[in-house]
């Protein structure tokens, strides 16, 4: 497939509504989301997408009921332990974009560290899990880092600022997929999505599959990315 995005990011939205439509607890929607995550990882891997990011847990998600938060922490841990070796065997490097919040259970923090260490030298694809992530927080911390580094104001550029963000080797996001039809950024990778294309499939995340992911790639390939510029017509009338 030609013209593919280098970096695809997914806002995995709709778990609660998926459960509500089935008269199930919200946790059932989160549990069902695991299949969609693995399916999307496999689809991105098969398509040759080198960078995939997924929004798993935001800084704002700590406001949810304690029981739901506890369930999500356990679900993330079970998912890591279940799929770690398969991800490593495929050459997928796994990263976690977020804070080492003290509220994260110690056993989960160890599993995150172990998966990151296990896969750190893999080069086939980079899977970034935004976990306890907030885009504004990352930008504020980058600004603080620049100040601590005593970089003169006139020497601050977009490139030098980006060097102080977490994982500065991460390329800008080319395509953001937000499921369930919602149209919000939700504080997700704010710096990296500045020029991303967006697509908003109506399907709820637990029902999102490889075919839906490929449809989003098809949509991206049909777009004309100008990054603020204008196509100048040639003498023949073609842009």
């Amino acid at each position: 497939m030609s013209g593919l995005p280098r970096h695809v990011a997914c806002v995995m939205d709709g778990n609660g509504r998926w459960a509500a439509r089935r008269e199930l607890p919200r946790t059932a929607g989160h549990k069902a989301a695991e299949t969609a995550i693995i399916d999307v990882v496999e689809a991105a891997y098969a398509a040759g997408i080198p960078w995939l990011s997924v929004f798993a847990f935001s800084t704002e998600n700590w406001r949810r009921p304690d029981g739901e938060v506890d369930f999500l922490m356990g679900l993330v841990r079970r998912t890591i332990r279940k799929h770690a070796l398969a991800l490593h065997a495929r050459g997928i490097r796994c990263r976690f974009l977020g804070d080492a919040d003290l509220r994260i259970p110690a056993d989960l923090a160890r599993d995150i560290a172990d998966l990151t260490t296990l896969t750190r030298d893999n080069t086939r694809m980079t899977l970034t899990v935004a976990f306890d992530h907030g885009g504004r927080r990352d930008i504020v911390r980058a600004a603080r880092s620049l100040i601590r580094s005593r970089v003169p104001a006139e020497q601050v550029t977009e490139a030098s600022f980006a060097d102080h963000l977490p994982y500065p080797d991460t390329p800008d996001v080319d395509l953001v997929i937000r499921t369930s039809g919602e149209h919000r950024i939700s504080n997700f990778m704010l710096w990296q999505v500045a020029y991303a294309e967006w697509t908003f499939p109506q399907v709820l995340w637990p029902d999102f599959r490889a075919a839906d992911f490929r449809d989003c790639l098809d949509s991206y390939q049909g777009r004309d990315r100008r990054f603020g510029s204008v196509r100048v017509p040639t003498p023949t009338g073609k842009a």
Side-chain angles (χ1 to χ4, degrees):
M1 298 175 67
S2 61
L4 285 172
R6 183 184 183 197
H7 186 179
V8 179
C10 298
V11 181
M12 305 181 293
D13 197 8
N15 295 349
R17 276 165 285 166
W18 184 93
R21 290 178 184 179
R22 291 160 177 79
E23 298 183 347
L24 297 171
R26 288 177 55 85
T27 52
H30 298 316
K31 185 176 181 180
E34 177 188 344
T35 300
I37 294 171
I38 299 305
D39 221 43
V40 166
V41 171
E42 293 289 353
Y45 180 88
I49 304 297
W51 295 81
L52 176 67
S53 298
V54 295
F55 201 4
F57 191 86
S58 73
T59 51
E60 294 77 17
N61 287 155
W62 288 111
R63 303 170 187 166
R64 294 187 176 186
D66 291 345
E68 183 174 350
V69 170
D70 290 344
F71 181 87
L72 286 167
M73 295 294 149
L75 179 63
V76 172
R77 186 177 188 223
R78 289 191 297 273
T79 302
I80 289 174
R81 296 174 71 86
K82 181 177 178 180
H83 299 285
L85 293 181
L87 292 167
H88 182 49
R90 286 167 171 75
I92 297 174
R93 176 175 57 171
C94 298
R95 291 174 164 180
F96 287 80
L97 176 64
D99 201 13
D101 195 292
L102 294 178
R103 289 172 291 184
I104 297 174
D107 52 3
L108 173 55
R110 285 193 298 270
D111 287 340
I112 288 173
D114 288 346
L115 179 60
T116 302
T117 300
L118 174 68
T119 64
R120 65 186 174 190
D121 295 325
N122 293 340
T123 59
R124 177 61 177 79
M125 185 173 81
T126 297
L127 171 63
T128 301
V129 180
F131 184 75
D132 189 24
H133 163 70
R136 284 184 172 181
R137 183 176 64 187
D138 285 351
I139 291 172
V140 168
R141 288 182 173 178
R144 289 174 177 169
S145 178
L146 278 165
I147 293 169
R148 285 194 295 268
S149 299
R150 300 182 183 276
V151 178
E154 61 275 9
Q155 293 182 18
V156 176
T157 64
E158 290 187 10
S160 65
F161 186 91
D163 284 341
H164 289 260
L165 289 167
Y167 300 127
D169 61 328
T170 302
D172 284 349
V173 176
D174 298 304
L175 173 64
V176 181
I177 301 169
R178 180 167 190 143
T179 56
S180 83
E182 295 292 338
H183 296 69
R184 295 189 301 276
I185 298 176
S186 296
N187 200 20
F188 179 48
M189 300 183 78
L190 294 180
W191 181 272
Q192 296 88 342
V193 304
Y195 279 101
E197 297 290 322
W198 287 72
T199 183
F200 303 98
Q202 293 295 318
V203 61
L204 302 177
W205 179 259
D207 292 327
F208 195 77
R209 293 293 181 267
D212 301 299
F213 184 80
R214 290 191 291 268
D215 286 344
C216 294
L217 297 184
D218 289 343
S219 173
Y220 173 87
Q221 289 177 299
R223 300 186 186 187
D224 182 16
R225 303 186 76 198
R226 295 189 296 275
F227 298 96
S229 66
V230 176
R231 299 292 186 193
V232 179
T234 65
T236 61
K238 296 180 179 179

